[in-house]
Amino acid sequence: MTTQTLTRNQGLVLDVLSHSEGPLSAYTILDKLRDSGFRAPLQVYRALDKLLEFGLVHRLESINAFVACAHPDEGCHAHGITAFTICETCGKVTEFHDHVIEDRLKSFAKDRNFKTGKTTIEIRGTCAGCA
Amino acid sequence: MTTQTLTRNQGLVLDVLSHSEGPLSAYTILDKLRDSGFRAPLQVYRALDKLLEFGLVHRLESINAFVACAHPDEGCHAHGITAFTICETCGKVTEFHDHVIEDRLKSFAKDRNFKTGKTTIEIRGTCAGCA
DNA sequence: CAATTGATGTAATAACATTACATTTCAATT
DNA sequence: AATTGAAATGTAATGTTATTACATCAATTG
Ligand SMILES: [Zn+2]
Ligand SMILES: [Zn+2]
Ligand SMILES: [Zn+2]
Ligand SMILES: [Zn+2]
C-alpha cells in the first residue's frame, strides 16, 4: 500500500503526520488542515482509521495521539507487535519490535486461552536528548 | 497502604471498583456514587489519582478505564511493570508480571539512554470464557 | 492560635471521539 | 452511456473523557 492509493483526505492526514516532529492529536491535525478544506473532526478520524488499517500510522493509546509509521515500507503490520518509547518532554517517538517480548505475551495469552487482538506497549519517559 | 488510611472519597471510589466485575470509566464511577454525595467528575478523578499513586488502582490506557488492583497487598507497585489482558466482550481484566518482558524493555531503554517512566502493556482480545 | 498543607465542592471549560444523515465519487456491470 | 453499488465525503449534533479555576473546609503543626 503506497501513498498513491490513498484518497485526498487520507493523503493530507498522512502528510501532516509525516512532516511532524512528534505525535499529533486528531484535533491538531484538523487545525493544520483547515486551509486544505477540513471542517470537522470526522474527516480526520475517518482518514486515520484507514491509515491505521493500512499500517501507515500508529495510535499511541497512552497519549491519545497519532504518529506516522517509521518504516511503512517494511510492512510494520507484518512485523507483529510494535512497541514505542515516547518522550514526554520533546514528544519524540521511537518504534521497535522485540520478538522475545512478543513470544512471552503470546505464550501468556495462549496458556490462558485468551485470543489476542491488538496489543499496546508504550514506554513513556525522557529521551537521551532531553535528559 | 491499607484502606484505613484512605479518605472518604478515596474509599468510596475504591469500593466501587473493588466490587465491579470489570473496569469502569470515571463517569460510570461518578454515577454509582451519586447517592453517596458525589456531584462532579473531579471528585472521582482526584480520588483516582491518589489510588493510582498508592498502587491500589490501575488505569487501562487503551480503554480509558480504571480497575482495582488484583493484589494490592503484595505491593503491585514494587513488582515492576504490570501487564494486562482485557476481554473486549465481558470486560474481564487479568493482571500479570513478566520479568523477561520487563528486562527486555529496560534494556532497550537503557541502550538508548531513554529514562523510563510509566510503561503500558495491554492486550485486548477475547477471554477463554467468551471465546 | 496562626500558618500550612491536603482534601473537598462546584462550575465551567477543554479535549477527545462518535452517531446520524445527506451527498458525492468512482469503478464495475449492463 | 446509463445503472448501480460500494466507498468516501460533508456537516451538524451529540456523547465521552479530563482539566482549569476558584472558593471552602479539615487536619497538622509550630
Ligand atoms: Zn510502524
Ligand atoms: Zn525528548
Ligand atoms: Zn496490580
Ligand atoms: Zn470475556
Side-chain angles (χ1 to χ4, degrees), chain B residues 12-44:
Chain B
L12 287 168
V13 169
L14 180 57
D15 226 49
V16 166
L17 282 175
S18 298
H19 292 96
S20 167
E21 286 296 312
L24 300 175
S25 76
Y27 279 76
T28 301
I29 295 170
L30 174 58
D31 285 343
K32 289 182 183 294
L33 289 175
R34 298 257 182 219
D35 292 345
S36 303
F38 274 45
R39 312 285 308 159
L42 200 51
Q43 294 175 293
V44 177

Side-chain angles (χ1 to χ4, degrees), chain B residues 60-108:
Chain B
L60 302 173
E61 306 284 356
S62 65
I63 59 171
N64 294 330
F66 303 85
V67 67
C69 177
H71 37 64
D73 298 328
E74 296 166 37
C76 198
H77 258 175
H79 281 61
I81 298 170
T82 305
F84 304 88
T85 58
I86 305 169
C87 177
E88 291 175 316
T89 300
C90 71
K92 181 181 175 188
V93 170
T94 301
E95 248 185 89
F96 65 104
H97 298 271
D98 185 305
H99 289 298
V100 173
I101 291 173
E102 193 163 342
D103 289 349
R104 288 297 276 193
L105 290 176
K106 281 186 174 158
S107 101
F108 177 90

Side-chain angles (χ1 to χ4, degrees), chain A residues 68-129:
Chain A
C69 177
H71 37 62
D73 299 328
E74 297 167 35
C76 198
H77 259 176
H79 281 62
I81 298 170
T82 303
F84 303 88
T85 58
I86 305 168
C87 177
E88 290 176 317
T89 300
C90 70
K92 180 180 175 188
V93 171
T94 300
E95 251 185 87
F96 65 103
H97 299 271
D98 185 306
H99 289 298
V100 173
I101 291 174
E102 193 163 341
D103 289 348
R104 291 293 281 193
L105 290 176
K106 281 186 175 158
S107 102
F108 178 89
K110 185 169 190 181
D111 289 350
R112 284 156 188 77
N113 289 318
F114 187 92
K115 191 179 167 195
T116 297
K118 187 170 186 307
T119 298
T120 297
I121 304 178
E122 298 175 13
I123 309 174
R124 294 183 301 298
T126 311
C127 80

